[in-house]
Amino acid sequence: MRERPLRREMSGLRPPRAAEASAEDQEPGAPMLSVGFILLPRFTLMALAGFVEALRHAADVKDRSRQIQCQWSILGPDVRPVRSSCGVAVAPWETFGDDVRFDYIAVVGGLLSGHDSVDPKLLRYVKAAASRGVPLIGLCTGSFLLARAGLMDGRRCCVSYYHAEEFEAEFAERDIDVVADTLFVVDRARITCAGGLGAVDLAVYLLERHLGSQRAQKSMSQMIFDRVRPPSAPQPRFDASWHAHARHPVTRRAVLLMELHVGDPVPVSSLADQLGVSLKTLERLFQAEFDLSPGAFYKRLRIQIAERMLKESAGPIMNIALDCGFGDLSYFGRAFKASFGLSPREFRRRHAASALAAAAAAA
């Protein structure tokens, strides 16, 4: 998962059009950036809204919202509304045509359960766009649809850490390099994005490329968006205490990769290679932020996850050990006791007794 040089990543994308003269009363003409959006059933509204709003603010002067510098449309096999994951329905503006007039086609996904009712016409249109060299964007779980259509083979594909295991399981036999620790990935004529607010970062990234930094900054300013994150920025995680002191982007991405490989730990040297840094640099960053080597941090993280699993589940301790990357139950027991002063069995027993006492006191 080493970051490729930008020039290679960007090859295959439509070249930016020549800048047009900016004038307050400019009339609509050929847009400098055009995007067609395809909504999958139960798509995420945030990904669509964030991307479109970034285009809207850059498309015109002040806040007039005319589609001048940018153009966008919502496409579908018909114009029946598509219900989003939050229940808000959005109707396509136009149906698929024989031509593909957009610079990019973006497939907006969301809940994977919605993929069961995808219209075959949608897949045919996306494949036709790819065959004509139109760059494709997979937003949120839109990347799953691109992969199922055979359009991600031999490429890097960004997915949310939340869906990484499902993606790897479904496409294990395919030649797809799964990336679940960055916001988005540009690999030739394919762009995949983890979703959420990352869609805004991606939109601004394309605005700067096609319209220049001034238009991109205008969009960010009007959206009250103080800074744009690069593709390699780590996907934020705030549900685990071990992220609290990870400040450096490389360190945060390393922790994400460790979390993604809790059950099948990867060598620290491999982590450094995937992050594009030397082993020495990775060790220096971890020592500075955690006062631990990457290997010691990795082991502590797995022990802490095991602690949480012991509290939250009644499953066999051996299964918990395996899920946390400990193939030997005895070794797991020694490592756990060194951290908590109790064996896993004793720890679970005491936690259960404390929970019962707390419940009785509250009754």
Side-chain angles (χ1 to χ4, degrees):
M1 291 189 288
R2 184 190 298 273
E3 291 296 319
R4 295 176 178 171
L6 181 60
R7 183 175 300 172
R8 181 175 178 183
E9 287 188 344
M10 297 295 284
S11 65
L13 300 186
R14 296 291 174 87
R17 298 188 178 97
E20 299 177 4
S22 60
E24 185 133 330
D25 296 320
Q26 182 182 19
E27 291 302 320
M32 298 170 69
L33 173 61
S34 60
V35 183
F37 292 91
I38 298 174
L39 310 180
L40 300 185
R42 308 191 78 183
F43 70 97
T44 49
L45 199 59
M46 173 66 78
L48 172 67
F51 204 120
V52 171
E53 282 296 286
L55 298 181
R56 180 180 73 85
H57 285 298
D60 199 2
V61 294
K62 296 183 178 178
D63 199 22
R64 297 186 181 181
S65 301
R66 296 177 298 174
Q67 293 197 27
I68 298 177
Q69 301 292 330
C70 301
Q71 183 184 63
W72 58 93
S73 187
I74 302 175
L75 317 173
D78 51 55
V79 293
R80 287 179 294 180
V82 182
R83 189 168 297 279
S84 68
S85 58
C86 69
V88 175
V90 177
W93 298 358
E94 56 184 293
T95 57
F96 299 138
D98 293 331
D99 64 323
V100 183
R101 67 182 189 276
F102 299 96
D103 293 319
Y104 299 89
I105 295 294
V107 180
V108 189
L111 300 184
L112 287 174
S113 57
H115 290 221
D116 297 336
S117 54
V118 170
D119 193 307
K121 293 179 184 176
L122 191 156
L123 282 171
R124 288 198 293 270
Y125 182 80
V126 171
K127 288 181 178 179
S131 68
R132 297 175 188 180
V134 179
L136 303 178
I137 300 173
L139 291 178
C140 195
T141 63
S143 56
F144 279 74
L145 182 131
L146 298 183
R148 289 179 188 134
L151 300 173
M152 293 305 301
D153 291 358
R155 301 174 189 268
R156 300 166 69 234
C157 184
C158 179
V159 297
S160 166
Y161 70 88
Y162 190 78
H163 293 296
E165 288 187 9
E166 292 164 295
F167 192 97
E168 290 180 333
E170 180 171 348
F171 304 107
E173 303 302 318
R174 306 282 280 277
D175 179 24
I176 303 175
D177 184 6
V178 183
V179 179
D181 62 316
T182 63
L183 294 179
F184 59 95
V185 165
V186 181
D187 191 340
R188 292 161 287 171
R190 301 288 183 273
I191 304 176
T192 45
C193 175
L197 287 175
V200 178
D201 295 287
L202 171 55
V204 174
Y205 174 88
L206 293 177
L207 286 171
E208 187 165 12
R209 178 174 188 269
H210 287 267
L211 278 70
S213 60
Q214 186 174 353
R215 285 281 172 176
Q217 289 291 334
K218 175 183 182 293
S219 179
M220 291 171 60
S221 176
Q222 290 191 240
M223 295 179 69
I224 321 296
F225 204 67
D226 62 346
R227 68 181 180 90
V228 63
R229 297 168 295 180
S232 59
Q235 295 181 27
R237 292 282 300 274
F238 301 106
D239 60 343
S241 61
W242 45 83
H243 284 277
H245 303 292
R247 298 181 300 274
H248 196 283
V250 170
T251 315
R252 294 180 64 193
R253 285 185 61 196
V255 175
L256 281 169
L257 288 171
M258 290 176 182
E259 285 188 88
L260 291 169
H261 295 279
V262 167
D264 55 337
V266 296
V268 173
S269 58
S270 178
L271 289 176
D273 185 59
Q274 291 180 51
L275 294 165
V277 299
S278 68
L279 178 59
K280 187 175 181 179
T281 296
L282 190 63
E283 290 174 341
R284 176 177 56 79
L285 288 171
F286 267 81
Q287 198 66 43
E289 296 208 27
F290 301 108
D291 197 25
L292 290 170
S293 69
F297 179 92
Y298 203 170
K299 181 179 177 182
R300 176 177 291 186
L301 182 149
R302 289 154 53 211
I303 288 292
Q304 288 180 333
I305 291 176
E307 176 206 13
R308 186 176 64 191
M309 294 175 71
L310 286 167
K311 290 179 178 179
E312 297 176 353
S313 78
I317 292 176
M318 183 63 198
N319 290 355
I320 291 176
L322 292 172
D323 288 342
C324 294
F326 295 94
D328 183 275
L329 187 58
S330 297
Y331 174 55
F332 171 62
R334 291 193 301 271
F336 191 90
K337 189 169 185 178
S339 295
F340 294 98
L342 298 169
S343 71
R345 191 176 305 280
E346 292 169 334
F347 178 87
R348 173 180 272 175
R349 187 182 301 119
R350 289 198 184 184
H351 174 73
S354 298
L356 283 173

